[in-house]
Amino acid sequence: MAKIIGGITSSHIPAVGNAISQGLTQEPYWKRFFDGYEPAKAWLKEAKPDLVIVVYNDHGLNFFLDKMPTFALGCADIYENADEGWGLKPTAPFTGDAKLSWHIAQSLIDQEFDICTCQEMKVDHGFVNPIRALFGDHVDWPVKAIPLAVNTVQHPVPSAARCLKLGKALGKALESYPEDTRVVILGTGGMSHQLQGERAGIIDVEFDLECMDKIATDPEWMTQFSNAEIIRRAGSEGIETIMWLVMRGALKDDAAVLHKHYHAPISNTGAGVLVLDNQ
């Protein structure tokens, strides 16, 4: 049977990809941010997942404001990285697992999550940068990957409660898959940041740290907030943190916190890394 061995959170800001490509990860500006990934990388090396499911938001590469599914699942055997406007050099393509994707899609439908299925899907920095930060760059990636896109761009966006429920449904879907597959789920995005308007540059360290603690140990806490309340505290792009709840919902209630790291500001963003062991 498939087994969810853990979950990891990560920011996915575009500048991370540039720092990796330019060899800047140990420069003073970036060093503490990237050092925060070292325990996560060590855990992954020991845990040896076969596949990662990356929960992220598409930034206009597949979907735009005129057509924006609330939840979209990649159901392909390969995913190409493409430049969505940041000038980042595309990475090697990612190998998917269409058979597992279709199993997940059917299970989610059975659990009343009407998921958008994508047999062709390009992946942007939201998907790619967390994988690069955690696994490095490769011509052949050491894990398969499945993209799960959540709309955090075009309102109305799903609530924290809905994302947590999606995670629980995803967990059930994976637990019912009959083939031996070791899965890690990546919850990406956030934390507090806003890119435009009068509040551009906002970072709420106190709220970020509380979210990290509660998502790890008491994820229902996050569901008390409306999206407007989250945006008021964390900024318009800080709403991305609800995607961490998809990861958390898929794990056991008593998943162990192995690592916690927070750094701000990095590219005008509060960035958090959590490693949760589900075994």
Side-chain angles (χ1 to χ4, degrees), residues 91-160:
T91 66
F94 298 84
T95 300
D97 187 335
K99 184 178 179 180
L100 175 54
S101 290
W102 285 114
H103 171 85
I104 293 171
Q106 183 63 62
S107 180
L108 292 179
I109 290 289
D110 291 344
Q111 297 177 73
E112 300 186 348
F113 272 94
D114 301 324
I115 195 87
C116 174
T117 54
C118 304
Q119 297 186 64
E120 293 183 2
M121 199 172 185
K122 295 187 182 298
V123 289
D124 64 24
H125 70 268
F127 175 95
V128 171
N129 284 352
I131 295 180
R132 296 180 74 191
L134 290 164
F135 292 95
D137 274 336
H138 298 270
V139 175
D140 295 306
W141 295 99
V143 291
K144 294 181 178 181
I146 294 176
L148 175 52
V150 176
N151 171 33
T152 62
V153 175
Q154 172 75 332
H155 292 268
V157 305
S159 66

Side-chain angles (χ1 to χ4, degrees), residues 191-226:
M191 297 183 83
S192 62
H193 65 299
Q194 180 159 324
L195 304 179
Q196 68 288 307
E198 293 181 359
R199 299 202 311 154
I202 183 175
I203 296 176
D204 190 325
V205 173
E206 180 181 351
F207 187 64
D208 284 351
L209 292 175
E210 190 169 20
C211 286
M212 288 187 72
D213 179 61
K214 294 298 188 179
I215 289 174
T217 62
D218 181 21
E220 292 286 347
W221 172 87
M222 192 81 176
T223 67
Q224 70 180 296
F225 300 111
S226 68

Side-chain angles (χ1 to χ4, degrees), residues 5 22 33 41 79 129 166 180 183 190 217:
I5 60 175
Q22 299 298 321
F33 171 82
K41 292 163 70 175
Y79 302 98
N129 284 352
L166 174 61
D180 290 339
V183 179
T217 62

Side-chain angles (χ1 to χ4, degrees), residues 246-268:
V246 180
M247 175 279 292
R248 186 63 186 92
L251 273 55
K252 299 174 184 176
D253 291 343
D254 60 351
V257 180
L258 298 186
H259 173 61
K260 184 189 300 184
H261 182 268
Y262 180 80
H263 181 68
I266 196 75
S267 192
N268 289 326

Side-chain angles (χ1 to χ4, degrees), residues 11 23 25 52 81 92 152 160 165 195 202 209 249 252 257 273 275:
S11 172
T25 61
V52 293
N81 175 216
T152 62
K165 289 177 182 177
L195 304 179
I202 183 175
L209 292 175
K252 299 174 184 176
V257 180
V273 179
V275 179

